[in-house]
Each structure stands twice: as structure tokens, then as C-alpha cells.
Amino acid sequence: MKLKVCGMKYNPQEVAALQPDYLGFIFWGKSPRSFDGEIPGLPENTKKVGVFVDAPPNEIIAKIDKYGLQAVQLHGNESPEFCKALKQHYAQKPVKIIKVFSIKADFDFGLLDPYENSCDYFLFDTKGKLPGGNGYTFDWKVLQNYPATKPYFLSGGIGLEEVESLREFMSRPEAKYCHAIDVNSRFEIEPGLKEIEKLKRFKEKLMKNEMNVTPSLGKRSANSLYHANEKGYYGEFGGAFIPEMLYPNTEELRQNYIRIMEEPSFKQEFDQLLKDYVGRPTPMYFADRLSKKYGAKIYLKREDLCHTGAHKVNNTIGQILMAKKLGKKRIIAETGAGQHGVATATVCALMGIECVIYMGEIDIARQAPNVARMKMLGAKVRPALSGSRTLKDATNEAIRDWINNPVDTHYIIGSVVGPHPYPDMVARFQSVISEEIKWQLKEKEGRENPDYVVACVGGGSNAAGAYYHYLDDGDVGIIAVEAAGKGIDSGESAATSALGEVGIIHGSKTLLMQTQDGQITEPYSISAGLDYPGVGPMHAHLFRSGRGEFISITDDEAMTAGLEVAQLEGIIPAIETSHAFAIFDYREFKQDDIVVINLSGRGDKDLQTYIDYFKL
Ligand SMILES: *Cc1c(COP(=O)(O)O)cnc(C)c1O
């Protein structure tokens, strides 16, 4: 949601320092906020709007030229032809036209029709004595009848006290085309003198507000090159390669998942839980010492501060709500290291739903603390006794269970893997990560896009979430970090992009490590979460298309980097995440490059491994 602050007079420079998206200057002699000074230099992303009331065209044009206005807001009875003529006058360097309509209790939206093709935005204000600056709101419910798709500014008496009702408004369908919130008199000490602290608080609330209330759950452009298409393909990868008997289960999910995610009640509940239970938004922290050492502006997206210690819970919260909407009474999941098992058991406890976790017998022995956690949370942990008794055998058991219980059971997959629609659904749930990065970076750096986003890739869910809203933005470099284990050529690694070939795993066509006759190779990494023989289809496509840069990091490099982050920043990362930090020894960045690292999880669970490795 964009912010416009109108009625600049005495302290525009201070207001500009808050970097609103628009600053409004009123050129109307009768207004107490009428502007006739010099406009100070503004931040790059702040646009100058001139406000006029039935002014003659030559006057408007003179002001546009004198002040370099990027938009004009017309508050009088300007006709559609008038707007159109003004627009055409500036065909070369376009000036946006904002036409104002004042609303009392009711409004005839038919009045908008003739303006549809002659202005760029509408602005809805409260009808009062003066054009604007009256200090009270109109009933926004009127906008339920908004018939158009033209973006509009919401204006009229909005102050700090309106934050809650704005929050409610923004979760409604009619807010879809709301482009910006316009504020003025409620943030003033006297007409034209703005209260900076109050504006600052409003801006912060507005940004958080929007993100918290209407998570976009993976909004994207229709012709994206890097998101899944409706069959679940990312380029040549993805799809649903499943046994016939599984078809009804995945089909039920495929037919419903987007519709359910778009229901306002679903978004509301998802958002509320992410906020109150998970602790979102997670901070984005500028890592000063790390930045100095490596000569770039390094930010850490703190998914380690999520409840349960990693990003995985974003997905399990989403899926448990999905299961409830589908009327499911029972949850199954598979887990290797136990992290996904814990995140699943957690949300099942939260909702009071039966939970069965499949886990290889060997893994149960290796991951005793997580097994204990799952049991304490009330889940049943069932050992997989066949094959190598690790993750892939647990997956087979879970699939068998699902085939036998298609009606009442939902299978929560823990990463952007598995048959369509899982990779896309999980990516959408995790996309809250990049959604937050965008506004947090805007707050800190004045722009939404970093130069690079970096994440470690096991199956690829934390990475998918961190990349999601940047996939189609070519100015954002995408860096994926894989586990090279004891070295790419050692025979003991999980470097899927470097070593993988096209094949099918867990119902999805992707890159995976396999022998010449197509047997899946047992992967190895010191970090349990990266120890996976494939990657999700999104990542296979990012690799093959060249959109993503893939780097493989060994156990030793990751451990050293993890120790360094602990001692430079006071943060002990999960060993998975430590792989991402190791790229600074591989990859040069420019001094002013903004590099966001997704700090996927905390290292408490890995303490014993760190102790053994460093003999602490
Ligand atoms: C599970 C896990 C990973 C790997 O899973 P992705 O799906 O690739 O994100 C990475 N980091 C942490 C902390 C994990 O728990």
C-alpha cells in the first residue's frame, strides 16, 4: 500500500525524509495550505503531486513545468475532456492524472465512467465544506459498489486512529484496487505544519498492517517465467507423476488449493496465526560486522526467530488450515531429521488434530531429541523398517498410508517437492518471507529490491519463499547454496544441481542424484536438512534456465562460516543456513550491493554437531 502525504507547506523536507510515495502540494489560493515556496530535493522514489481546483490549463502546465510535478490531482469540476487534454499535452514525459470524487453517504459510481479513459487514478475524498482537508472520513463501505478496476487513492480524514479500520478495510475485496492512502489534516500541528513522529508511526503501521492482514499468498503475474503454470510445471520440471491410486487425493487438493487460499477467512486466520503464534513479521537485521568484513551491505532475514526455530512452520500452519477447510480429520507427514515432523506435530497440537509421523528407523535413533519433541506434542512416530530405513523409506510409508486413507487424511509435505500442487502451494505459504523483505527493505533502504537474495537449498522451501516475489525481477540476483558434503567428487554429497540428472522423485520431475541405471543415490551432508537427493522443480528450473546462480559448499566450509557468524553477530545459525554464509569466500560483491541472506533456522538443534566438530 502506498502512502501520500498532502498539504505540504512549512516542513516538506522533514516529511520527505520519511520517504512517502507521494507528496502533495496544493496550488489553490483559498486553501490554508496553499503552497508557493521552493520544493526541496526529494528522495528518488517520492513523486510530487500538484493539487488544483478548477485552475485554467495554462496555470497547471506552468506549475508542472516549474516544479517538475509527476502527477496532478484535480479537485474541482474538471471534465473528462479537460483531463484528457492535459494528459495528451504530456504525452512525451507522462504526467499522471488523479481525478477526485467527493463522497458523502452515497455515491453514484456511474459518474466515473466518462473518466475511465482520461485519468490514471481516482481519489475518493469526504465531501465537506472545502475540497479536502476536512478531517473526517466517509463510510468506506460505499466502495463495495466500486465497479471499476482503476486504482484509487483513499482519502478524507484518515489519522492514526483509523489504523484498525484500515486493517479491516484492506482485507476486503473492494480494497483490491486501493493504490494508496492519502493523509493530511489529521497529522498536523496547524494547517500545513506536519507532525513528523505521528506520520512516521502511521507509515510503519500501514506497512505492517497491509502485510499482516492480506498476505498475498503468492500473488504473481500471469505470464511469469519462473512460477508454476496451472499444471504445476516450472519450465520442463514439476508435474504430478503419481500412482493411479493417489490421483483422487492430489486431485482434490489441486482443484481447491488456490480457491481456499484466496478466501478472506483463510487469509485472515493464516495471517493471525503467523502474527500471534509464529511471531511474524520476523526482523530483517543489518549485519554490520559481517558487512564490514565482506564489503557489502548484508541483511539477515531472521526466520530463525519463528516459533519452533525455523521457517518450516510457515508451511505447516498453512497446510493445517488447508486440511481443516477440506474437512480432514487426520494428518500424516514424513520426516528425515525430524524438523518437519516437529513443525507438523506442533500445528496438530495447536488444532487438536490426530498426527502420525513416519520416520526411518535409523533416523529415529539418530534424532532422538526431535523424536521426543514430537511425542511430547502428542504425535505418533511410526518407524519405517524397510530399505535403508531413512527419509525415502519414510516417504514410501506415508504415501502408502495416504492411499489407504484418502478421505479423512491430509499429507503435509515439508518442502517445495512432491507432486503438483505441493511445490506451488508450499512456495505460496513461504512467500510471506519475500513479501516482508520487500517492505522491510523499503523502510531501511528506500527500495524493495536487493541486489541479491541468498538461501540454502535442501528441498528448497526457505529459498522459494525468499525468492518468490523477486523471481521475475531481473535486477535481483538469485543465489542458491547446496551442500557439497565432503566435496562434490567425494561420492558423499547432496549437490543436486552439480551432480543431478533429470528424473522423477516423490511424484515430481526434477533434478536428482542417481546412478547410471536411475537408482536414487543416498545423499550426504553434515546438515540433516540439506541431506536430500533432489531439489524442488522450481529450483531445477532456476538452475537450468540460468536465472539462479548455484554454489556448492562443503561441510568444512559451512561449519567455519557458522562459527564466524556466531562470533561476528551473536547469532548461532542452523548448519543448513551456515552453508549460505559460506558464499562470501567464493563470491565477490560490490561495496554498495545489498545482499539479503535468508537465515532459515537457529543452531540450537545442531549444538552437538558443532561441539563435536570444533571440540568446544
Ligand atoms: C529443513 C531446513 C532447511 C532445508 O529445507 P528447505 O525446504 O530447503 O528450506 C533449511 N534450513 C533449515 C533451518 C531447516 O530446518
Side-chain angles (χ1 to χ4, degrees):
M1 189 60 53
K2 299 200 186 298
L3 175 66
K4 170 167 176 273
V5 186
C6 203
M8 292 304 108
K9 192 172 173 83
Y10 300 114
N11 53 350
Q13 193 141 24
E14 283 179 83
V15 179
L18 301 176
Q19 311 200 3
D21 302 280
Y22 299 93
L23 273 190
F25 298 86
I26 298 175
F27 299 107
W28 184 54
K30 290 183 197 157
S31 167
R33 304 176 183 84
S34 174
F35 184 82
D36 57 4
E38 287 301 316
I39 298 184
L42 298 185
E44 201 181 333
N45 298 315
T46 302
K47 297 193 172 66
K48 287 172 270 190
V49 184
V51 181
F52 300 89
V53 184
D54 290 322
N58 55 356
E59 192 183 312
I60 298 177
I61 287 166
K63 292 282 195 259
I64 293 174
D65 294 344
K66 173 170 177 197
Y67 292 110
L69 303 177
Q70 287 117 328
V72 295
Q73 178 177 324
L74 303 174
H75 245 280
N77 295 309
E78 297 86 359
S79 67
E81 294 70 35
F82 183 96
C83 296
K84 195 160 206 163
L86 200 56
K87 204 169 159 52
Q88 278 166 357
H89 185 84
Y90 286 98
Q92 292 309 315
K93 69 167 175 59
V95 170
K96 303 280 186 203
I97 310 286
I98 306 166
K99 181 68 188 89
V100 181
F101 296 88
S102 298
I103 297 186
K104 207 163 190 172
D106 218 341
F107 184 69
D108 172 10
F109 283 101
L111 292 173
L112 304 180
D113 284 349
Y115 290 91
E116 190 63 43
N117 295 318
S118 51
C119 68
D120 301 283
Y121 301 96
F122 297 132
L123 182 147
F124 298 114
D125 193 10
T126 314
K127 199 179 191 95
K129 283 201 291 292
L130 294 172
N134 289 297
Y136 50 94
T137 57
F138 66 92
D139 185 356
W140 303 331
K141 285 214 180 72
V142 174
L143 293 169
Q144 282 171 3
N145 300 319
Y146 185 60
T149 55
K150 192 175 285 299
Y152 63 84
F153 289 69
L154 184 67
S155 182
I158 295 173
L160 261 184
E161 292 75 13
E162 273 63 44
V163 165
E164 276 307 308
S165 28
L166 274 175
R167 180 188 177 82
E168 204 268 327
F169 173 73
M170 284 179 199
S171 66
R172 303 162 73 94
E174 60 265 31
K176 183 166 169 196
Y177 298 107
C178 184
H179 168 72
I181 304 294
D182 181 33
V183 299
N184 187 352
S185 65
R186 296 279 300 283
F187 292 88
E188 291 183 329
I189 297 157
E190 59 176 89
L193 182 62
K194 298 294 190 255
E195 253 188 289
I196 302 303
E197 270 311 305
K198 214 167 160 187
L199 274 174
K200 191 169 167 196
R201 254 184 298 151
F202 182 76
K203 189 186 166 200
E204 278 166 11
K205 287 188 179 226
L206 187 68
M207 291 176 141
K208 294 196 181 117
N209 211 8
E210 175 195 28
M211 297 312 163
N212 288 346
V213 173
T214 47
S216 65
L217 281 174
K219 247 189 301 188
R220 78 233 349 227
S221 63
N223 48 8
S224 167
L225 289 175
Y226 302 102
H227 287 107
N229 68 16
E230 71 281 12
K231 293 215 165 73
Y233 276 90
Y234 298 83
E236 65 173 298
F237 301 105
F241 297 83
I242 49 167
E244 183 95 18
M245 287 166 72
L246 218 50
Y247 183 76
N249 308 40
T250 54
E251 188 58 13
E252 179 188 26
L253 198 58
R254 189 191 67 76
Q255 284 180 7
N256 292 295
Y257 79 111
I258 290 185
R259 177 185 60 75
I260 290 175
M261 279 182 179
E262 284 176 352
E263 283 173 12
S265 64
F266 183 90
K267 287 186 184 180
Q268 194 102 29
E269 200 176 347
F270 181 60
D271 168 59
Q272 201 74 45
L273 284 171
L274 287 188
K275 177 165 174 278
D276 297 337
Y277 188 73
V278 174
R280 303 204 75 91
T282 59
M284 182 142 84
Y285 162 69
F286 176 67
D288 192 34
R289 301 227 297 149
L290 207 56
S291 297
K292 289 213 173 80
K293 167 140 195 202
Y294 289 106
K297 286 177 155 180
I298 303 172
Y299 281 91
L300 310 184
K301 180 61 175 157
R302 299 288 310 272
E303 293 302 296
D304 59 317
L305 296 178
C306 289
H307 176 48
T308 69
H311 66 289
K312 285 192 174 72
V313 70
N314 300 326
N315 168 47
T316 54
I317 291 268
Q319 288 205 46
I320 197 89
L321 294 179
M322 181 66 62
K324 276 194 358 178
K325 288 272 185 192
L326 291 169
K328 306 292 175 182
K329 304 272 181 286
R330 180 173 174 270
I331 295 294
I332 56 169
E334 92 286 336
T335 194
Q339 291 303 109
H340 174 55
V342 170
T344 303
T346 299
V347 297
C348 288
L350 175 69
M351 296 294 169
I353 294 183
E354 183 188 346
C355 179
V356 177
I357 307 286
Y358 290 94
M359 195 168 178
E361 193 183 29
I362 300 266
D363 289 334
I364 290 181
R366 284 196 291 208
Q367 310 288 344
N370 276 340
V371 175
R373 283 188 187 102
M374 286 181 259
K375 288 186 174 162
M376 182 154 178
L377 290 161
K380 291 194 197 75
V381 181
R382 294 220 180 120
L385 304 170
S386 62
S388 57
R389 291 171 291 154
T390 57
L391 180 64
K392 74 173 168 22
D393 312 291
T395 306
N396 291 340
E397 292 293 336
I399 288 176
R400 205 164 299 145
D401 181 318
W402 205 25
I403 291 172
N404 290 328
N405 300 283
V407 178
D408 69 336
T409 298
H410 175 71
Y411 179 14
I412 298 189
I413 292 184
S415 190
V416 287
V417 300
H420 179 56
Y422 279 99
D424 185 46
M425 179 170 70
V426 176
R428 285 172 189 251
F429 287 139
Q430 293 290 1
S431 73
V432 65
I433 299 173
S434 48
E435 200 169 307
E436 288 174 5
I437 295 175
K438 280 197 148 184
W439 64 260
Q440 290 173 320
L441 205 58
K442 180 91 197 279
E443 251 178 28
K444 292 186 194 298
E445 293 282 345
R447 57 169 156 128
E448 292 185 340
N449 288 11
D451 296 289
Y452 298 93
V453 198
V454 184
C456 63
V457 174
S461 68
N462 87 85
Y467 304 158
Y468 196 96
H469 290 286
Y470 297 120
L471 287 171
D472 292 305
D473 294 354
D475 59 330
V476 180
I478 283 176
I479 299 180
V481 185
E482 292 184 326
K486 298 188 175 161
I488 290 182
D489 301 320
S490 67
E492 290 186 72
S493 95
T496 311
S497 69
L499 300 171
E501 306 273 351
V502 178
I504 288 172
I505 182 171
H506 296 168
S508 174
K509 183 175 170 194
T510 188
L511 291 172
L512 64 133
M513 303 193 325
Q514 52 191 311
T515 61
Q516 281 190 333
D517 19 310
Q519 292 298 317
I520 294 170
T521 315
E522 196 70 32
Y524 164 80
S525 163
I526 192 167
S527 99
L530 302 185
D531 191 354
Y532 183 73
V535 277
M538 174 197 279
H539 301 291
H541 180 50
L542 289 174
F543 175 70
R544 270 291 165 89
S545 65
R547 173 71 182 96
E549 182 182 341
F550 282 66
I551 296 176
S552 310
I553 295 296
T554 63
D555 289 355
D556 291 335
E557 291 162 339
M559 295 303 274
T560 307
L563 186 65
E564 181 176 83
V565 173
Q567 299 189 351
L568 280 181
E569 297 294 343
I571 298 170
I572 298 174
I575 299 176
E576 290 85 352
T577 320
S578 294
H579 285 73
F581 284 108
I583 64 162
F584 292 107
D585 287 326
Y586 273 84
R587 181 78 172 62
E588 292 274 317
F589 294 94
K590 294 205 286 287
Q591 196 74 32
D592 58 354
D593 276 347
I594 296 176
V595 181
V596 176
I597 305 228
N598 197 38
L599 213 170
S600 56
R602 57 179 174 243
D604 309 30
K605 69 181 175 67
D606 297 321
L607 215 52
Q608 194 58 51
T609 315
Y610 281 125
I611 290 170
D612 294 346
Y613 187 88
F614 290 113
K615 318 231 177 319
L616 296 171

